[in-house]
Amino acid sequence: MVTPAAPPKRITVAISGASGAVYGVRLLQRLRGQAEVQTHLVVSEAGWLNVQQELDLPRAEVEALADVVYPVRDIGSTIASGSFPCDGMVIAPCSMRTLAAVALGLSDNLITRAADVMLKERRRLILMVRETPLNLAHLRNMTRVTEMGGIIFPPVPGFYQRPQTIEEMVGHTVSRVLDVLGLPQADAVRWNGLPVFPHAD
């Protein structure tokens, strides 16, 4: 008797208009290499502007990284419904406007509607919020999303691995996001602790 193959994990990747489009693109690239993952992509109008401005990537090249692509105004798509199984969603990067819409449950485009679905269905939602300094509205909106079960994940680089390039810093952050999604990473760089130095007598 042949055991049926497990269905792929469905991950929604959204790119909003904050600076840091590289995080969403790199996440798509990493997920593309996992055969057991099916990616669903939605990008805001401002998100596409940042992809062009920051990365000089044509839209078709980014869309080719995903299995399914949706227009941001297509609120009748599959990911807008809780009946569509989805294992996780990452907004990378997440603008303060998108954060506010998620925090208030506005569902005014497909990104915020899909995020609302993740929260109401108690599924994993990660917001890579990108802004500094933060005002009180930003902080309160982060608190609201956290209280609803979302995960606030600012793309703050870690320097303990002594990264030599921007690519290494971005890659480390994306690896941490994949950890939070519970996806395997055979090549992830892990912290093994500080070296033990002998004590002088």
Side-chain angles (χ1 to χ4, degrees):
M1 184 177 189
V2 178
T3 303
K9 287 184 175 292
R10 292 183 174 131
I11 303 295
T12 298
V13 176
I15 300 176
S16 71
S19 180
V22 64
Y23 292 106
V25 172
R26 184 64 52 79
L27 181 59
L28 287 169
Q29 291 169 338
R30 293 288 298 273
L31 293 174
R32 190 71 173 170
Q34 299 197 25
E36 72 280 8
V37 174
Q38 181 186 82
T39 53
H40 296 253
L41 173 66
V42 55
V43 184
S44 70
E45 291 93 342
W48 284 124
L49 288 175
N50 277 351
V51 167
Q52 176 62 41
Q53 168 66 24
E54 298 177 355
L55 303 175
D56 286 325
L57 286 177
R59 180 169 178 161
E61 188 173 327
V62 176
E63 290 181 337
L65 295 171
D67 294 295
V68 186
V69 181
Y70 308 93
V72 73
R73 298 298 170 190
D74 183 15
I75 59 171
S77 70
T78 55
I79 60 173
S81 173
S83 65
F84 182 75
C86 187
D87 297 280
M89 177 177 180
V90 185
I91 305 180
C94 180
S95 67
M96 291 298 106
R97 183 248 175 246
T98 298
L99 168 68
V102 173
L104 298 175
L106 296 184
S107 298
D108 56 346
N109 62 36
L110 185 56
I111 293 177
T112 54
R113 171 57 188 169
D116 188 64
V117 166
M118 300 302 288
L119 292 174
K120 78 183 185 69
E121 299 293 332
R122 306 300 191 266
R123 298 169 183 166
R124 180 85 20 123
L125 173 66
I126 301 171
L127 275 58
M128 297 183 72
V129 294
R130 229 298 308 162
E131 185 60 277
T132 192
L134 299 168
N135 66 34
L136 188 55
H138 303 154
L139 296 169
R140 284 178 172 166
N141 286 333
M142 291 182 197
T143 298
R144 290 188 184 101
V145 170
T146 302
E147 290 172 341
M148 290 188 286
I151 297 172
I152 301 299
F153 195 120
V156 179
F159 295 97
Y160 53 87
Q161 299 285 7
R162 297 191 178 185
Q164 301 300 304
T165 65
I166 292 176
E167 181 156 343
E168 287 181 6
M169 288 191 289
V170 171
H172 180 259
T173 298
V174 170
S175 288
R176 294 290 295 114
V177 170
L178 294 174
D179 280 343
V180 176
L181 287 170
L183 297 175
Q185 303 175 73
D187 58 347
V189 178
R190 303 295 182 186
W191 175 246
N192 293 315
L194 292 170
V196 179
F197 297 101
H199 293 286
D201 293 335

